[in-house]
Amino acid sequence: MLVETLQRTFLARLVATPRGRAHLLNQVADAESNGESTIFDSALALVDDPELRRFIARHAADEVEHARAFTERRDAQGVDIGPAPTHLRVVDRIDRKLGGFFARGVHTRRDVMDAYLVLQVVEERACTQFPLFSRAFRDVEPETAALFDRVQRDEERHLKYCHAISRRYAPSEAVRRSTLAEMRAVEAECFAENSRAGLAWVLDRGYASLSPLEALGFRSLLRVGKVVDARRPTPFAARDARSSPEDSVLRPTG
């Protein structure tokens, strides 16, 4: 598809420069370290199943390690582009659209389900994006590409945690599935908004190795809204639509 081709082209141009690589890694490191810690801490106070508590603790520890590893790769670029822009935090956009979800915290069993469905849609996007990032880095920095591959495997395991915990604390499977659909719609909208804002940020600062004609083309596409479909979900939504509730059960291991 045209959109995927444009995204791959832009990523290739972005990682062709040290500042572009640093910017992308800065964004990913920031995403791994913001927002989710509130959910982990609150959920641990409510979840009484020892195995589920182990999943939560492992998930939290993984995110800390991911942020550290991506920050290390960012610093290896040898350029200082400052902190990640706060207006490019997709989790903050999701939080605002959900009416300040993170500030409310996790207090009830239904809150646990909602929190882990938010985590699920964020992890689904990571599992969709990280292969694109890995491919872009493969010929430029194999070490960074390998990091994205490793973290993606962790994110796939995290999805199993999200499935197990949200199912355990859902009032019913019907409620869980309908809420998940709502969360996916919110995430898709926020991801599109954030992608447009991120593209504008990169173009304004010249982080990508674009020819004048390419830069003009991306700016033109950005103005007419063709770079990112406003509500494009991840492939996980279509996958769930083809399965029964029983088919989609994932049992965590590790």
Side-chain angles (χ1 to χ4, degrees), residues 191-246:
F191 177 75
E193 292 174 358
N194 214 61
S195 295
R196 289 192 291 271
L199 176 58
W201 181 269
V202 167
L203 290 173
D204 288 346
R205 283 152 186 79
Y207 287 166
S209 179
L210 296 168
S211 69
L213 184 59
E214 286 175 326
L216 178 62
F218 277 107
R219 286 192 183 279
S220 298
L221 289 169
L222 186 58
R223 282 195 295 272
V224 298
K226 297 296 185 183
V227 173
V228 181
D229 183 342
R231 292 180 182 271
R232 187 175 51 187
T234 67
F236 290 89
R239 192 177 307 168
D240 277 3
R242 294 192 300 268
S243 66
S244 69
E246 291 76 17

Short mmCIF file of all heavy atoms in Angstrom, two decimals, residues 191-246:
data_model
loop_
_atom_site.label_atom_id
_atom_site.label_comp_id
_atom_site.label_asym_id
_atom_site.label_seq_id
_atom_site.Cartn_x
_atom_site.Cartn_y
_atom_site.Cartn_z
N PHE A 191 -2.73 7.51 17.71
CA PHE A 191 -1.52 7.18 16.97
C PHE A 191 -1.44 8.01 15.70
O PHE A 191 -0.36 8.50 15.33
CB PHE A 191 -1.50 5.69 16.63
CG PHE A 191 -0.32 5.27 15.80
CD1 PHE A 191 0.94 5.16 16.38
CD2 PHE A 191 -0.46 5.01 14.45
CE1 PHE A 191 2.04 4.79 15.61
CE2 PHE A 191 0.64 4.64 13.68
CZ PHE A 191 1.89 4.53 14.26
N ALA A 192 -2.55 8.17 15.00
CA ALA A 192 -2.57 8.97 13.78
C ALA A 192 -2.23 10.43 14.08
O ALA A 192 -1.41 11.04 13.39
CB ALA A 192 -3.93 8.87 13.11
N GLU A 193 -2.83 10.98 15.12
CA GLU A 193 -2.54 12.37 15.51
C GLU A 193 -1.06 12.52 15.85
O GLU A 193 -0.41 13.49 15.44
CB GLU A 193 -3.39 12.76 16.71
CG GLU A 193 -4.88 12.87 16.44
CD GLU A 193 -5.67 13.12 17.71
OE1 GLU A 193 -5.05 13.16 18.81
OE2 GLU A 193 -6.90 13.26 17.62
N ASN A 194 -0.55 11.57 16.61
CA ASN A 194 0.84 11.64 17.05
C ASN A 194 1.80 11.48 15.88
O ASN A 194 2.86 12.12 15.83
CB ASN A 194 1.12 10.57 18.10
CG ASN A 194 2.11 11.01 19.14
OD1 ASN A 194 1.88 11.97 19.85
ND2 ASN A 194 3.24 10.32 19.21
N SER A 195 1.44 10.63 14.93
CA SER A 195 2.28 10.43 13.75
C SER A 195 2.38 11.70 12.93
O SER A 195 3.47 12.06 12.45
CB SER A 195 1.74 9.28 12.90
OG SER A 195 1.80 8.06 13.60
N ARG A 196 1.27 12.39 12.76
CA ARG A 196 1.30 13.65 12.01
C ARG A 196 2.14 14.70 12.73
O ARG A 196 2.94 15.40 12.11
CB ARG A 196 -0.13 14.15 11.77
CG ARG A 196 -0.91 13.31 10.78
CD ARG A 196 -2.19 14.00 10.36
NE ARG A 196 -3.16 14.07 11.45
CZ ARG A 196 -4.07 13.13 11.71
NH1 ARG A 196 -4.11 12.04 10.96
NH2 ARG A 196 -4.91 13.26 12.71
N ALA A 197 1.96 14.78 14.06
CA ALA A 197 2.74 15.73 14.84
C ALA A 197 4.22 15.39 14.80
O ALA A 197 5.09 16.27 14.69
CB ALA A 197 2.24 15.77 16.29
N GLY A 198 4.53 14.09 14.87
CA GLY A 198 5.93 13.66 14.83
C GLY A 198 6.57 13.93 13.48
O GLY A 198 7.74 14.33 13.40
N LEU A 199 5.82 13.72 12.41
CA LEU A 199 6.35 13.99 11.07
C LEU A 199 6.66 15.48 10.91
O LEU A 199 7.72 15.85 10.39
CB LEU A 199 5.34 13.54 10.02
CG LEU A 199 5.69 13.83 8.56
CD1 LEU A 199 7.03 13.20 8.18
CD2 LEU A 199 4.57 13.31 7.64
N ALA A 200 5.74 16.32 11.38
CA ALA A 200 5.97 17.76 11.29
C ALA A 200 7.21 18.15 12.09
O ALA A 200 8.02 18.99 11.64
CB ALA A 200 4.74 18.51 11.81
N TRP A 201 7.39 17.56 13.27
CA TRP A 201 8.55 17.86 14.12
C TRP A 201 9.85 17.52 13.41
O TRP A 201 10.80 18.30 13.40
CB TRP A 201 8.42 17.08 15.42
CG TRP A 201 9.52 17.28 16.43
CD1 TRP A 201 10.66 16.57 16.56
CD2 TRP A 201 9.55 18.28 17.46
NE1 TRP A 201 11.41 17.03 17.61
CE2 TRP A 201 10.77 18.08 18.18
CE3 TRP A 201 8.69 19.29 17.87
CZ2 TRP A 201 11.12 18.87 19.27
CZ3 TRP A 201 9.05 20.08 18.96
CH2 TRP A 201 10.25 19.87 19.64
N VAL A 202 9.90 16.34 12.80
CA VAL A 202 11.11 15.89 12.10
C VAL A 202 11.39 16.76 10.88
O VAL A 202 12.55 17.17 10.63
CB VAL A 202 10.96 14.41 11.68
CG1 VAL A 202 12.04 14.02 10.68
CG2 VAL A 202 11.02 13.51 12.91
N LEU A 203 10.36 17.09 10.11
CA LEU A 203 10.55 17.92 8.92
C LEU A 203 11.03 19.32 9.29
O LEU A 203 11.93 19.88 8.65
CB LEU A 203 9.24 18.02 8.13
CG LEU A 203 8.78 16.74 7.42
CD1 LEU A 203 7.39 16.93 6.83
CD2 LEU A 203 9.77 16.32 6.35
N ASP A 204 10.47 19.88 10.35
CA ASP A 204 10.85 21.23 10.76
C ASP A 204 12.30 21.30 11.22
O ASP A 204 12.95 22.35 11.09
CB ASP A 204 9.94 21.72 11.90
CG ASP A 204 8.53 22.04 11.44
OD1 ASP A 204 8.32 22.15 10.21
OD2 ASP A 204 7.63 22.17 12.30
N ARG A 205 12.83 20.18 11.73
CA ARG A 205 14.19 20.18 12.27
C ARG A 205 15.21 19.53 11.34
O ARG A 205 16.39 19.48 11.67
CB ARG A 205 14.20 19.48 13.65
CG ARG A 205 13.64 20.41 14.72
CD ARG A 205 12.99 19.68 15.86
NE ARG A 205 12.38 20.68 16.74
CZ ARG A 205 11.21 21.26 16.48
NH1 ARG A 205 10.53 20.95 15.38
NH2 ARG A 205 10.71 22.19 17.30
N GLY A 206 14.77 19.06 10.22
CA GLY A 206 15.68 18.48 9.25
C GLY A 206 16.38 17.24 9.73
O GLY A 206 17.54 16.98 9.36
N TYR A 207 15.71 16.41 10.54
CA TYR A 207 16.34 15.21 11.07
C TYR A 207 16.52 14.13 10.01
O TYR A 207 17.38 13.25 10.16
CB TYR A 207 15.51 14.63 12.22
CG TYR A 207 15.56 15.40 13.51
CD1 TYR A 207 14.63 15.16 14.52
CD2 TYR A 207 16.54 16.36 13.75
CE1 TYR A 207 14.67 15.85 15.73
CE2 TYR A 207 16.58 17.06 14.94
CZ TYR A 207 15.64 16.80 15.93
OH TYR A 207 15.68 17.49 17.12
N ALA A 208 15.68 14.14 8.98
CA ALA A 208 15.73 13.08 7.97
C ALA A 208 16.55 13.52 6.76
O ALA A 208 16.56 14.70 6.40
CB ALA A 208 14.31 12.70 7.53
N SER A 209 17.20 12.56 6.14
CA SER A 209 18.02 12.84 4.96
C SER A 209 17.13 12.85 3.71
O SER A 209 17.11 11.92 2.91
CB SER A 209 19.11 11.76 4.81
OG SER A 209 19.90 12.00 3.67
N LEU A 210 16.39 13.94 3.56
CA LEU A 210 15.44 14.08 2.46
C LEU A 210 15.96 15.09 1.44
O LEU A 210 16.53 16.12 1.81
CB LEU A 210 14.09 14.57 2.99
CG LEU A 210 13.33 13.65 3.95
CD1 LEU A 210 12.18 14.40 4.60
CD2 LEU A 210 12.81 12.42 3.22
N SER A 211 15.74 14.79 0.18
CA SER A 211 16.04 15.78 -0.84
C SER A 211 14.99 16.88 -0.74
O SER A 211 13.91 16.69 -0.15
CB SER A 211 15.97 15.14 -2.23
OG SER A 211 14.61 14.80 -2.54
N PRO A 212 15.26 18.07 -1.28
CA PRO A 212 14.25 19.14 -1.25
C PRO A 212 12.91 18.70 -1.83
O PRO A 212 11.85 19.05 -1.30
CB PRO A 212 14.89 20.25 -2.09
CG PRO A 212 16.36 20.02 -1.92
CD PRO A 212 16.53 18.53 -1.87
N LEU A 213 12.96 17.89 -2.90
CA LEU A 213 11.71 17.43 -3.52
C LEU A 213 10.97 16.46 -2.60
O LEU A 213 9.74 16.53 -2.47
CB LEU A 213 12.02 16.77 -4.86
CG LEU A 213 10.79 16.32 -5.68
CD1 LEU A 213 9.89 17.51 -5.98
CD2 LEU A 213 11.24 15.64 -6.96
N GLU A 214 11.73 15.56 -1.94
CA GLU A 214 11.09 14.62 -1.01
C GLU A 214 10.48 15.36 0.17
O GLU A 214 9.35 15.06 0.59
CB GLU A 214 12.12 13.61 -0.51
CG GLU A 214 12.51 12.56 -1.54
CD GLU A 214 13.62 11.65 -1.04
OE1 GLU A 214 14.50 12.14 -0.28
OE2 GLU A 214 13.60 10.46 -1.40
N ALA A 215 11.21 16.34 0.70
CA ALA A 215 10.69 17.11 1.83
C ALA A 215 9.41 17.83 1.44
O ALA A 215 8.43 17.86 2.20
CB ALA A 215 11.74 18.10 2.32
N LEU A 216 9.40 18.40 0.25
CA LEU A 216 8.20 19.09 -0.24
C LEU A 216 7.05 18.11 -0.38
O LEU A 216 5.90 18.42 -0.02
CB LEU A 216 8.50 19.77 -1.58
CG LEU A 216 7.30 20.49 -2.24
CD1 LEU A 216 6.81 21.63 -1.36
CD2 LEU A 216 7.73 21.02 -3.62
N GLY A 217 7.35 16.93 -0.89
CA GLY A 217 6.32 15.91 -1.06
C GLY A 217 5.70 15.49 0.25
O GLY A 217 4.47 15.38 0.37
N PHE A 218 6.54 15.24 1.27
CA PHE A 218 6.00 14.83 2.57
C PHE A 218 5.21 15.97 3.22
O PHE A 218 4.18 15.71 3.86
CB PHE A 218 7.13 14.37 3.49
CG PHE A 218 7.53 12.94 3.26
CD1 PHE A 218 8.73 12.61 2.64
CD2 PHE A 218 6.68 11.90 3.66
CE1 PHE A 218 9.08 11.28 2.42
CE2 PHE A 218 7.04 10.58 3.45
CZ PHE A 218 8.24 10.26 2.82
N ARG A 219 5.66 17.20 3.05
CA ARG A 219 4.89 18.31 3.60
C ARG A 219 3.53 18.43 2.91
O ARG A 219 2.51 18.72 3.56
CB ARG A 219 5.67 19.62 3.48
CG ARG A 219 6.82 19.74 4.46
CD ARG A 219 7.38 21.16 4.50
NE ARG A 219 8.52 21.23 5.39
CZ ARG A 219 8.43 21.34 6.72
NH1 ARG A 219 7.23 21.37 7.29
NH2 ARG A 219 9.52 21.42 7.46
N SER A 220 3.52 18.21 1.61
CA SER A 220 2.26 18.29 0.87
C SER A 220 1.30 17.20 1.32
O SER A 220 0.11 17.44 1.53
CB SER A 220 2.52 18.18 -0.64
OG SER A 220 3.33 19.24 -1.08
N LEU A 221 1.83 15.97 1.47
CA LEU A 221 1.00 14.87 1.94
C LEU A 221 0.49 15.11 3.35
O LEU A 221 -0.65 14.77 3.68
CB LEU A 221 1.80 13.56 1.89
CG LEU A 221 2.08 13.01 0.49
CD1 LEU A 221 3.09 11.88 0.57
CD2 LEU A 221 0.80 12.54 -0.17
N LEU A 222 1.35 15.69 4.19
CA LEU A 222 0.95 16.00 5.55
C LEU A 222 -0.21 16.99 5.57
O LEU A 222 -1.17 16.85 6.32
CB LEU A 222 2.14 16.56 6.32
CG LEU A 222 1.96 16.83 7.82
CD1 LEU A 222 1.58 15.56 8.55
CD2 LEU A 222 3.24 17.42 8.40
N ARG A 223 -0.14 18.01 4.69
CA ARG A 223 -1.20 19.02 4.66
C ARG A 223 -2.54 18.44 4.24
O ARG A 223 -3.58 18.87 4.74
CB ARG A 223 -0.81 20.16 3.72
CG ARG A 223 0.21 21.14 4.31
CD ARG A 223 0.27 22.42 3.50
NE ARG A 223 0.78 22.17 2.16
CZ ARG A 223 2.07 22.20 1.85
NH1 ARG A 223 2.97 22.42 2.79
NH2 ARG A 223 2.47 21.98 0.61
N VAL A 224 -2.52 17.48 3.34
CA VAL A 224 -3.80 16.92 2.88
C VAL A 224 -4.20 15.67 3.65
O VAL A 224 -5.20 15.03 3.34
CB VAL A 224 -3.77 16.61 1.36
CG1 VAL A 224 -3.56 17.88 0.58
CG2 VAL A 224 -2.70 15.58 1.02
N GLY A 225 -3.40 15.33 4.67
CA GLY A 225 -3.78 14.24 5.56
C GLY A 225 -3.67 12.85 4.97
O GLY A 225 -4.37 11.93 5.41
N LYS A 226 -2.81 12.65 3.99
CA LYS A 226 -2.71 11.35 3.34
C LYS A 226 -1.60 10.46 3.89
O LYS A 226 -1.48 9.31 3.48
CB LYS A 226 -2.49 11.53 1.83
CG LYS A 226 -3.64 12.23 1.12
CD LYS A 226 -4.91 11.41 1.18
CE LYS A 226 -6.03 12.05 0.37
NZ LYS A 226 -7.28 11.28 0.48
N VAL A 227 -0.77 10.98 4.77
CA VAL A 227 0.35 10.19 5.26
C VAL A 227 -0.13 9.09 6.21
O VAL A 227 0.33 7.97 6.18
CB VAL A 227 1.39 11.09 5.96
CG1 VAL A 227 2.47 10.25 6.62
CG2 VAL A 227 2.01 12.03 4.95
N VAL A 228 -1.08 9.44 7.05
CA VAL A 228 -1.57 8.48 8.03
C VAL A 228 -3.10 8.46 8.01
O VAL A 228 -3.73 9.49 8.13
CB VAL A 228 -1.09 8.84 9.47
CG1 VAL A 228 -1.60 7.82 10.47
CG2 VAL A 228 0.43 8.92 9.53
N ASP A 229 -3.67 7.30 7.81
CA ASP A 229 -5.11 7.14 7.88
C ASP A 229 -5.55 7.49 9.30
O ASP A 229 -5.00 7.01 10.28
CB ASP A 229 -5.45 5.69 7.56
CG ASP A 229 -6.96 5.43 7.54
OD1 ASP A 229 -7.70 6.25 8.09
OD2 ASP A 229 -7.36 4.41 6.98
N ALA A 230 -6.56 8.33 9.42
CA ALA A 230 -6.94 8.88 10.72
C ALA A 230 -7.33 7.81 11.75
O ALA A 230 -7.19 8.03 12.94
CB ALA A 230 -8.10 9.86 10.55
N ARG A 231 -7.81 6.67 11.29
CA ARG A 231 -8.27 5.68 12.27
C ARG A 231 -7.84 4.27 11.87
O ARG A 231 -8.62 3.34 11.94
CB ARG A 231 -9.79 5.74 12.42
CG ARG A 231 -10.28 7.02 13.06
CD ARG A 231 -11.79 7.02 13.18
NE ARG A 231 -12.27 8.25 13.75
CZ ARG A 231 -12.42 8.47 15.06
NH1 ARG A 231 -12.14 7.51 15.91
NH2 ARG A 231 -12.87 9.62 15.51
N ARG A 232 -6.60 4.12 11.48
CA ARG A 232 -6.15 2.81 11.04
C ARG A 232 -5.72 1.97 12.24
O ARG A 232 -4.74 2.27 12.90
CB ARG A 232 -4.98 2.96 10.07
CG ARG A 232 -4.56 1.65 9.45
CD ARG A 232 -3.49 1.87 8.42
NE ARG A 232 -2.41 2.65 8.97
CZ ARG A 232 -1.39 3.11 8.25
NH1 ARG A 232 -1.36 2.89 6.97
NH2 ARG A 232 -0.43 3.80 8.82
N PRO A 233 -6.44 0.88 12.52
CA PRO A 233 -6.06 0.04 13.66
C PRO A 233 -4.88 -0.86 13.31
O PRO A 233 -4.46 -0.95 12.15
CB PRO A 233 -7.32 -0.80 13.90
CG PRO A 233 -7.93 -0.93 12.54
CD PRO A 233 -7.63 0.39 11.84
N THR A 234 -4.35 -1.53 14.30
CA THR A 234 -3.30 -2.51 14.06
C THR A 234 -3.94 -3.79 13.51
O THR A 234 -5.16 -3.98 13.59
CB THR A 234 -2.56 -2.85 15.36
OG1 THR A 234 -3.46 -3.53 16.24
CG2 THR A 234 -2.03 -1.59 16.04
N PRO A 235 -3.14 -4.70 12.97
CA PRO A 235 -3.69 -5.97 12.46
C PRO A 235 -4.35 -6.84 13.53
O PRO A 235 -5.09 -7.76 13.21
CB PRO A 235 -2.46 -6.67 11.87
CG PRO A 235 -1.50 -5.58 11.57
CD PRO A 235 -1.72 -4.56 12.64
N PHE A 236 -4.09 -6.56 14.80
CA PHE A 236 -4.66 -7.38 15.86
C PHE A 236 -6.18 -7.32 15.89
O PHE A 236 -6.84 -8.29 16.26
CB PHE A 236 -4.09 -6.95 17.23
CG PHE A 236 -2.64 -7.29 17.40
CD1 PHE A 236 -1.65 -6.39 17.00
CD2 PHE A 236 -2.26 -8.50 17.95
CE1 PHE A 236 -0.31 -6.70 17.15
CE2 PHE A 236 -0.92 -8.83 18.10
CZ PHE A 236 0.06 -7.92 17.70
N ALA A 237 -6.75 -6.18 15.53
CA ALA A 237 -8.21 -6.05 15.53
C ALA A 237 -8.83 -6.99 14.52
O ALA A 237 -9.81 -7.70 14.82
CB ALA A 237 -8.60 -4.61 15.24
N ALA A 238 -8.28 -7.03 13.32
CA ALA A 238 -8.81 -7.92 12.28
C ALA A 238 -8.61 -9.38 12.68
O ALA A 238 -9.46 -10.24 12.42
CB ALA A 238 -8.13 -7.63 10.95
N ARG A 239 -7.50 -9.67 13.32
CA ARG A 239 -7.21 -11.04 13.75
C ARG A 239 -8.24 -11.51 14.77
O ARG A 239 -8.74 -12.63 14.70
CB ARG A 239 -5.81 -11.09 14.34
CG ARG A 239 -5.26 -12.49 14.57
CD ARG A 239 -3.83 -12.41 15.08
NE ARG A 239 -2.98 -11.59 14.23
CZ ARG A 239 -1.77 -11.16 14.56
NH1 ARG A 239 -1.27 -11.47 15.75
NH2 ARG A 239 -1.06 -10.43 13.73
N ASP A 240 -8.59 -10.63 15.72
CA ASP A 240 -9.59 -10.99 16.72
C ASP A 240 -10.96 -11.17 16.09
O ASP A 240 -11.75 -12.02 16.51
CB ASP A 240 -9.68 -9.89 17.79
CG ASP A 240 -8.61 -10.06 18.86
OD1 ASP A 240 -7.78 -10.98 18.73
OD2 ASP A 240 -8.61 -9.27 19.82
N ALA A 241 -11.26 -10.37 15.07
CA ALA A 241 -12.56 -10.46 14.42
C ALA A 241 -12.76 -11.80 13.73
O ALA A 241 -13.89 -12.27 13.57
CB ALA A 241 -12.73 -9.33 13.40
N ARG A 242 -11.64 -12.45 13.34
CA ARG A 242 -11.73 -13.74 12.65
C ARG A 242 -11.74 -14.92 13.62
O ARG A 242 -11.89 -16.06 13.21
CB ARG A 242 -10.54 -13.91 11.71
CG ARG A 242 -10.52 -12.93 10.55
CD ARG A 242 -9.48 -13.35 9.51
NE ARG A 242 -8.14 -13.40 10.05
CZ ARG A 242 -7.29 -12.37 10.01
NH1 ARG A 242 -7.67 -11.22 9.47
NH2 ARG A 242 -6.08 -12.49 10.51
N SER A 243 -11.58 -14.63 14.93
CA SER A 243 -11.48 -15.71 15.90
C SER A 243 -12.64 -15.67 16.87
O SER A 243 -13.30 -14.66 17.05
CB SER A 243 -10.15 -15.62 16.67
OG SER A 243 -10.14 -14.46 17.47
N SER A 244 -12.87 -16.79 17.52
CA SER A 244 -13.85 -16.84 18.60
C SER A 244 -13.16 -16.44 19.89
O SER A 244 -11.93 -16.43 19.97
CB SER A 244 -14.39 -18.27 18.74
OG SER A 244 -13.37 -19.12 19.24
N PRO A 245 -13.90 -16.12 20.96
CA PRO A 245 -13.26 -15.78 22.23
C PRO A 245 -12.32 -16.87 22.71
O PRO A 245 -11.26 -16.60 23.25
CB PRO A 245 -14.45 -15.61 23.19
CG PRO A 245 -15.60 -15.22 22.30
CD PRO A 245 -15.36 -15.98 21.01
N GLU A 246 -12.70 -18.14 22.49
CA GLU A 246 -11.86 -19.23 22.96
C GLU A 246 -10.56 -19.30 22.15
O GLU A 246 -9.50 -19.61 22.68
CB GLU A 246 -12.61 -20.56 22.84
CG GLU A 246 -13.78 -20.69 23.82
CD GLU A 246 -14.99 -19.86 23.40
OE1 GLU A 246 -15.07 -19.46 22.21
OE2 GLU A 246 -15.86 -19.60 24.26
#
